[in-house]
Amino acid sequence: KAGVTQTPRYLIKTRGQQVTLSCSPISGHRSVSWYQQTPGQGLQFLFEYFSETQRNKGNFPGRFSGRQFSNSRSEMNVSTLELGDSALYLCASSLGSGLATTNEKLFFGSGTQLSVL
Amino acid sequence: QKEVEQNSGPLSVPEGAIASLNCTYSDRVSQSFFWYRQYSGKSPELIMSIYSNGDKEDGRFTAQLNKASQYVSLLIRDSQPSDSATYLCAVKRPGGSYIPTFGRGTSLIVHP
């Protein structure tokens, strides 16, 4: 079974640009969540999508947005990039529904390392 | 107040020793507890989950949960250099959200 796939692996952008990151979850997983990871702040939750709907949202500005497609693939967009947006962006997939505790387990992709110059 | 607290470390232990990683959480109704391991430059990987008070063992790993003290720990017996990584504690409330809250992680170094 293929794991969570994130593309691209690395990105270099300049301030003011926008960027789109892609995440393909494990087959059968309907929940995709996005995280920003920096050395200073750790793993910060951005948002979660389930069945094409945003189900949870973290405390990030509106410049950060996302969407999920009918095949559960998800994209994250950051507009008007700032230097502070430089980070590792991770997505994770899970079954995301039902009562079984196994449905809560997150499986992470390799991440997209974004550098904003 | 940070919801999930971990000592950032680094925690340095000799090979073969027991490494003890600790995590406290503030939300008393938390129900699910996870430990993720993250090697440098890699993504987090789930290694343990625990849901009820007491100990849960899996190979060299033991997770311990004390809900009254709002404390969860991870013990690694016979530590190996390959265990050197950052260990992230994650805690989840019961209910509709499937998203846990992560601590900032503890860096573990196992030296030969």
Side-chain angles (χ1 to χ4, degrees):
Chain A
K1 203 173 193 181
V4 180
T5 304
Q6 286 189 250
T7 56
R9 186 71 179 90
Y10 300 95
L11 267 178
I12 299 175
K13 293 287 187 179
T14 57
R15 280 183 301 172
Q17 288 187 309
Q18 74 164 14
V19 66
T20 299
L21 313 181
S22 179
C23 174
S24 293
I26 291 172
S27 178
H29 284 192
R30 295 163 63 191
S31 169
V32 174
S33 49
W34 288 89
Y35 300 83
Q36 181 194 68
Q37 188 174 39
T38 59
Q41 295 298 316
L43 204 61
Q44 302 283 304
F45 171 67
L46 283 154
F47 31 66
E48 182 219 4
Y49 286 86
F50 180 82
S51 291
E52 303 179 65
T53 300
Q54 187 180 87
R55 187 163 66 173
N56 291 285
K57 187 178 188 303
N59 295 321
F60 277 81
R63 300 185 298 108
F64 293 82
S65 63
R67 60 177 175 169
Q68 187 180 34
F69 302 96
S70 58
N71 62 357
S72 294
R73 189 178 72 85
S74 178
E75 289 183 345
M76 189 191 90
N77 184 275
V78 187
S79 62
T80 319
L81 284 166
E82 300 178 359
L83 296 178
D85 297 333
S86 295
L88 177 66
Y89 290 87
L90 291 160
C91 83
S93 77
S94 72
L95 287 167
S97 66
L99 298 177
T101 53
T102 52
N103 296 351
E104 302 174 328
K105 295 180 179 178
L106 299 178
F107 297 84
F108 284 87
S110 299
T112 294
Q113 184 66 55
L114 172 64
S115 297
V116 182
L117 307 178
Chain B
Q1 180 189 4
K2 183 69 176 174
E3 296 179 39
V4 180
E5 296 271 8
Q6 294 181 258
N7 189 319
S8 61
L11 172 66
S12 181
V13 301
E15 184 174 356
I18 296 175
S20 178
L21 304 163
N22 304 314
C23 172
T24 59
Y25 58 94
S26 60
D27 191 340
R28 188 169 289 277
V29 301
S30 296
Q31 188 177 58
S32 306
F33 306 86
F34 309 92
W35 284 98
Y36 287 81
R37 177 179 62 198
Q38 186 174 23
Y39 291 114
S40 180
K42 302 294 184 182
S43 58
E45 173 193 19
L46 179 67
I47 56 171
M48 289 288 287
S49 58
I50 187 167
Y51 303 94
S52 53
N53 280 328
D55 294 359
K56 178 182 177 183
E57 188 174 318
D58 183 0
R60 294 186 297 110
F61 298 97
T62 299
Q64 299 176 317
L65 175 61
N66 184 325
K67 290 185 179 179
S69 300
Q70 296 175 234
Y71 178 94
V72 57
S73 65
L74 179 70
L75 302 179
I76 306 175
R77 291 183 302 281
D78 188 24
S79 295
Q80 302 296 310
S82 59
D83 295 324
S84 299
T86 296
Y87 290 81
L88 301 168
C89 172
V91 174
K92 199 189 83 65
R93 298 172 58 94
S97 173
Y98 285 77
I99 302 302
T101 299
F102 284 86
R104 294 190 182 186
T106 297
S107 174
L108 173 66
I109 299 172
V110 182
H111 53 86

